Amino acid sequence: MSLAFTPAAQAPQDALAINADLHSHSRVSDGSLAPGEVARRAHAHGVELFALTDHDEVDGLAEAGAAAAALGLVFVPGVEISVTWGGETIHVVGLRIDPGCAELRAGLARTRSGRDARAREIGEDLARAGIDDAYAGALKLVGNPAMVGRTHFARYIVEQGACRDVHEVFQRYLSEGKPGFVPHRWADLGDAVGWIRRAGGVAVLAHPGRYRIGDTALWSLVAAFRDAGGEGIEVVSGSHTRDQYRRFAQVAREFGLRASRGSDFHGPDESRVELGSLPPLPAALAPVWLDWPETARAIAAARAARGESGARTARA
Ligand code: AMP
Ligand code: MN
Ligand code: MN
Ligand code: MN
């Protein structure tokens, strides 16, 4: 079977059958593994097309790219930008970005800049809720002090024995409306999409099923995202249910957006979904990688080097 992608509205089966994982995190943001370890783990779990997409930071991409290259794993440089839209926190993934793009780097630096002050406030709020020294505790767990986030607080609180796992910490302390939640203003939607495009990348709306907004607001969000230059949407995501795969496949078709697939892996002990283990994209969708012909060639070459000729189906 040939792997050449045809730029058609309907993707050929070969393109959909690639085991792509285009959303993952390392210690450079709130993942627990080093960037190279994430790449090696992706390869070990059968991923053929892999993106590291740390929150608001591109510093892990060189290490992840080098580890992927050493294994013949096709690598996509990525990022996940925190955005405030209509009072909600929204995430926008950028794929195939040039990490050297000055405008992207400056935008990400601005987006990161409020994190430390926010973390101090979270620490003070948690102290009032009976959790002591959380700011210092969270900082001890970061790989990158500029990227201290709620996940680091969650890990500290689990370490202290106050909760069983990070999910419980979010439910009891860190989600909106809970005592350790500090509202924050992230990047504008149009700015974030613009930085990604200026860096030569494709903007993808991350895990739309996670936003606590009604259908009308979701519709407005997808429309605003597309109007700003967004081109893709995560359909098969570690944050989505099977019903949501179907729902967002329909949204992708209606809005003419490319479909993406990503586990949102953060670490072996925390993530519900392992790298490369999600089901394939539903049929009749154009995957984001359909427009990347050299990606198809690189994957075909990697398969040939492994002695495979046919398409390899993503594990269901
Ligand atoms: P922050 O950017 O600091 O607000 O942290 C956001 C991160 O917290 C997300 O990227 C997830 O990794 C994590 N997170 C958010 N909600 C939950 C949850 N309910 N359970 C586990 N992790 C969560
Ligand atoms: Mn995260
Ligand atoms: Mn996210
Ligand atoms: Mn993520």
Side-chain angles (χ1 to χ4, degrees):
M1 233 185 300
S2 138
L3 255 176
F5 301 160
T6 40
Q10 281 216 343
Q13 276 316 109
D14 280 4
L16 288 171
I18 282 174
N19 191 344
D21 195 327
L22 298 176
H23 190 148
S24 69
H25 297 274
S26 77
R27 286 176 58 75
V28 165
S29 63
D30 61 357
S32 58
L33 302 180
E37 290 173 325
V38 185
R40 284 188 284 277
R41 191 175 179 99
H43 181 255
H45 284 272
V47 174
E48 300 179 279
L49 180 62
F50 164 66
L52 182 71
T53 56
D54 272 312
H55 298 285
D56 307 324
E57 176 63 277
V58 292
D59 266 10
L61 296 178
E63 182 187 320
L71 294 163
L73 168 60
V74 182
F75 180 66
V76 175
V79 68
E80 180 177 20
I81 306 182
S82 312
V83 162
T84 300
W85 178 86
E88 296 291 324
T89 297
I90 300 297
H91 287 170
V92 175
V93 162
L95 297 175
R96 278 189 131 203
I97 49 157
D98 167 10
C101 170
E103 194 177 337
L104 172 69
R105 296 182 80 90
L108 295 179
R110 274 204 303 286
T111 308
R112 289 192 298 270
S113 65
R115 278 193 178 264
D116 187 67
R118 169 192 185 236
R120 288 174 196 271
E121 253 188 86
I122 293 175
E124 288 161 16
D125 289 353
L126 286 174
R128 279 190 283 276
I131 310 269
D132 291 328
D133 302 321
Y135 172 71
L139 264 193
K140 281 203 191 105
L141 300 176
V142 300
N144 171 4
M147 276 306 301
V148 58
R150 287 186 288 163
T151 305
H152 305 108
F153 282 92
R155 290 183 187 139
Y156 169 75
I157 292 169
V158 171
E159 245 182 43
Q160 295 303 297
C163 288
R164 265 189 330 273
D165 56 37
V166 297
H167 300 288
E168 187 187 337
V169 184
F170 273 91
Q171 271 171 13
R172 283 176 53 190
Y173 294 102
L174 296 174
S175 295
E176 190 164 354
K178 299 298 152 84
F181 180 80
V182 172
H184 192 74
R185 177 82 194 236
W186 303 105
D188 283 339
L189 179 63
D191 289 347
V193 172
W195 303 332
I196 291 166
R197 288 175 65 93
R198 238 92 69 207
V202 176
V204 175
L205 186 63
H207 45 58
R210 254 177 60 176
Y211 308 130
R212 301 252 155 92
I213 56 180
D215 281 357
T216 312
L218 185 89
W219 220 248
S220 309
L221 167 64
V222 179
F225 172 74
R226 194 189 52 185
D227 291 348
E231 295 172 88
I233 186 167
E234 286 184 347
V235 171
V236 172
S237 156
S239 298
H240 286 173
T241 62
R242 278 171 186 273
D243 281 348
Q244 287 173 326
Y245 301 160
R246 282 190 284 276
R247 177 169 185 226
F248 292 107
Q250 196 50 34
V251 171
R253 290 183 200 113
E254 287 188 25
F255 281 84
L257 293 168
R258 296 294 199 219
S260 193
R261 172 182 190 259
S263 60
D264 206 355
F265 179 81
H266 280 71
D269 304 324
E270 277 172 25
S271 289
R272 202 165 46 83
V273 174
E274 182 54 77
L275 287 156
S277 70
L278 288 169
L281 286 172
L285 283 176
V288 278
W289 57 88
L290 193 62
D291 307 314
W292 308 339
E294 70 283 14
T295 298
R297 284 194 291 276
I299 291 171
R303 286 179 182 176
R306 287 196 305 267
E308 294 171 31
S309 54
R312 171 189 175 125
T313 309
R315 276 188 285 152

